Amino acid sequence: MQIKPTTLEGWLRHCEELHPVGIDMGLDRVREVARRLNLRFECPVITVAGTNGKGSTCAMLEAVALQAGYRTGVYTSPHLVHFEERCRVHGEIVNATDLIAHFQAVESARLQNGNEVSLTYFEFSTLAILRLMSHAKLDVAILEVGLGGRLDATNIIDTDCAIITSIDIDHAEFLGPDRESIGREKAGIMRTGRPVIVGDPMAPQSVIDHALEIGAELWRFGHDFNFSGDKQQWSWARRGRRYAGLAYPSLRGANQLINASGVLAAFEAIRERLPVTAQAVRNGMAMVELPGRFQIVPGQPTLVLDVAHNPHSVAALTANLDAMGFFPTTHAVFGAMADKDLAPMLAKVGPLIDRWYFTNLPTPRAESAAGLQQKWNAVQMVAGGRREVTSSLHADPMAALQAAVAAADPADRIVVFGSFYTVGGVLVNGTPRLQAKHLGA
């Protein structure tokens, strides 16, 4: 008889060990286990897909809904440090022990009557979290798509409002080689007769076409809603509705206004089911928090954390770093997956970086620190090696950060970016508060 795990870590190991061989990429298996679980949501569901901006969008949706007095449930992935970060109920990360019963329920359903259904790690864990959320008496469920949309495990739930954030090249081996192919996959979360908020100002035509094909209610940034702003405040408007004099979202970065605009469009689109006040919008946007999204940690030197891990998000990070003003030296801790388009990422941010600290990461998918250094050297050669930029290799993100702190002056800046593993690796003991070693000298 099979012994069932008794801890969350045990269940996660169990999910990893399943390793389904030759598994089809459809959702029929996941839907079958969901049917056995009788999985359903009685509250409105908002599903968020896109290449970048999904996590920020989910956090803003949650913050405004909480300020409006609603009981929220949020599912996001991946996590930075602990698996249970993937699920928040009423603004709080769920307890690991609360997840165990739902992993057990998924396993029982998966094996029901000896008719075993194969699930991947992501599918298994998604079903467990969705079941927890469905039992939590929510007023609104917010689901972040893991990869793509059409074939993502979250897509077994019919959304009441879809949001598609920016679309760029990422996971090309699964989603396709260009924005049109990738857009078609993201568009799979749309539903006939239900609103879809398209936040990308230059959305692929495939997204627009799919919305029209299936008869979704299309809301496009720049067409159906827009924002304007100055240095002090910003405004959002669509026909017949306007929010004026809004404080900037507490999530930093120029791209966050586009994300915030999509959030306000979503609340407007489902206003009859989930009304929010202007005050809830103001307070929610002012109070929203999300670790690792252009997160600036006060200290000396200044520390910036960002999970930018594809060319589009690294371009946004570069613009945001440039807008921070002058720092004598910028140190960069960087680790990334081997399948990412690394050369354009390094080339884009390279002019702002004075010293690199390349790090290994604890997953076979990662590029080695030495491999990252080789790619950086190649980028330097193409650029003509116009300035001296040092680099070093480190066993893990924390060791890389410690080396950067040891080399930095108090007025410098340290940027930790790349994979979730990179940023998570420096947050493992909490948010670091830096104090340069010779500050008091």
Side-chain angles (χ1 to χ4, degrees), residues 150 183-184 186-191 205-216:
R150 182 176 64 91
R184 205 167 292 117
K186 310 285 187 192
I189 66 168
M190 299 178 190
R191 295 295 188 269
Q205 191 60 41
S206 59
V207 173
I208 310 307
D209 289 347
H210 187 70
L212 297 173
E213 253 172 55
I214 70 166

Side-chain angles (χ1 to χ4, degrees), residues 401-412:
L401 176 62
Q402 287 166 350
V405 172
D409 285 333
D412 287 352

Side-chain angles (χ1 to χ4, degrees), residues 36-341:
R36 296 178 186 182
L37 288 166
N38 196 27
L39 182 63
R40 59 167 53 89
F41 284 86
E42 306 297 337
C43 64
V45 175
I46 303 173
T47 305
V48 182
T51 306
N52 299 306
K54 291 180 296 184
S56 299
T57 296
C58 289
M60 290 184 201
L61 287 165
E62 176 190 34
V64 172
L66 282 169
Q67 288 298 311
Y70 294 116
R71 182 171 169 82
T72 58
V74 185
Y75 171 43
T76 65
S77 65
H79 57 276
L80 281 170
V81 181
H82 303 293
F83 177 87
E84 50 268 37
E85 293 167 27
R86 295 185 181 212
C87 183
R88 296 189 297 276
V89 172
H90 206 55
E92 299 292 331
I93 294 171
V94 298
N95 290 323
T97 50
D98 292 339
L99 278 163
I100 293 170
H102 301 283
F103 275 86
Q104 290 170 340
V106 173
E107 181 71 344
S108 297
R110 191 180 75 80
L111 301 173
Q112 193 175 90
N113 299 327
N115 185 10
E116 183 173 345
V117 177
S118 294
L119 294 174
T120 66
Y121 171 94
F122 182 76
E123 292 165 346
F124 197 120
S125 57
T126 296
L127 283 167
I129 288 175
L130 291 176
R131 186 174 187 271
L132 181 150
M133 289 173 63
S134 73
H135 287 215
K137 296 183 171 61
L138 302 178
D139 296 315
V140 58
I142 300 162
L143 308 180
E144 179 188 344
V145 170
L147 190 155
R150 182 176 64 91
L151 298 174
D152 191 81
T154 56
N155 203 30
I156 61 167
I157 306 296
D158 286 330
T159 190
D160 294 285
C161 180
I163 301 178
I164 297 179
T165 63
S166 69
I167 294 175
D168 204 64
I169 312 297
D170 203 2
H171 303 292
E173 68 277 24
F174 298 111
L175 304 179
D178 52 48
R179 291 179 78 243
E180 292 296 331
S181 310
I182 292 169
R184 205 167 292 117
E185 292 297 318
K186 310 285 187 192
I189 66 168
M190 299 178 190
R191 295 295 188 269
T192 300
R194 307 227 175 131
V196 54
I197 314 301
V198 179
D200 192 322
M202 304 288 287
Q205 191 60 41
S206 59
V207 173
I208 310 307
D209 289 347
H210 187 70
L212 297 173
E213 253 172 55
I214 70 166
E217 182 191 328
L218 180 62
W219 293 52
R220 294 175 67 184
F221 178 84
H223 294 258
D224 304 290
F225 64 96
N226 214 328
F227 74 85
S228 58
D230 56 32
K231 288 185 177 178
Q232 274 74 45
Q233 57 190 23
W234 69 289
S235 301
W236 178 94
R238 72 174 295 258
R239 286 190 304 277
R241 185 75 164 174
R242 180 176 170 83
Y243 290 100
L246 295 168
Y248 278 83
S250 59
L251 296 182
R252 300 167 189 258
N255 48 323
Q256 295 298 0
L257 275 192
I258 295 177
N259 295 330
S261 293
V263 166
L264 295 189
F267 280 119
E268 185 67 12
I270 57 171
R271 185 171 54 172
E272 288 185 8
R273 293 192 67 189
L274 203 73
V276 299
T277 64
Q279 195 58 37
V281 168
R282 292 176 198 283
N283 291 347
M285 291 293 178
M287 296 168 69
V288 61
E289 293 181 351
L290 189 63
R293 273 62 167 196
F294 197 58
Q295 179 184 359
I296 299 176
V297 182
Q300 293 184 307
T302 299
L303 176 65
V304 180
L305 307 174
D306 200 307
V307 290
H309 58 269
N310 55 48
H312 186 266
S313 56
V314 169
L317 169 63
T318 303
N320 292 332
L321 290 173
D322 206 28
M324 285 178 71
F326 174 75
F327 292 83
T329 303
T330 295
H331 308 254
V333 172
F334 181 60
M337 298 299 113
D339 58 4
K340 298 300 176 183
D341 200 0

Side-chain angles (χ1 to χ4, degrees), residues 332-356:
V333 172
F334 181 60
M337 298 299 113
D339 58 4
K340 298 300 176 183
D341 200 0
L342 294 166
M345 291 160 59
L346 292 165
K348 185 70 181 178
V349 75
L352 297 184
I353 307 303
D354 302 297
R355 295 187 183 183
W356 286 97

Side-chain angles (χ1 to χ4, degrees), residues 330-334 345-347 349-351 353-358 373 376 380 387 389-394 417:
T330 295
H331 308 254
V333 172
F334 181 60
M345 291 160 59
L346 292 165
V349 75
I353 307 303
D354 302 297
R355 295 187 183 183
W356 286 97
Y357 304 78
F358 297 114
Q373 187 183 53
W376 165 246
Q380 277 284 81
R387 64 192 184 100
V389 180
T390 63
S391 64
S392 54
L393 308 181
H394 303 276
F417 77 105

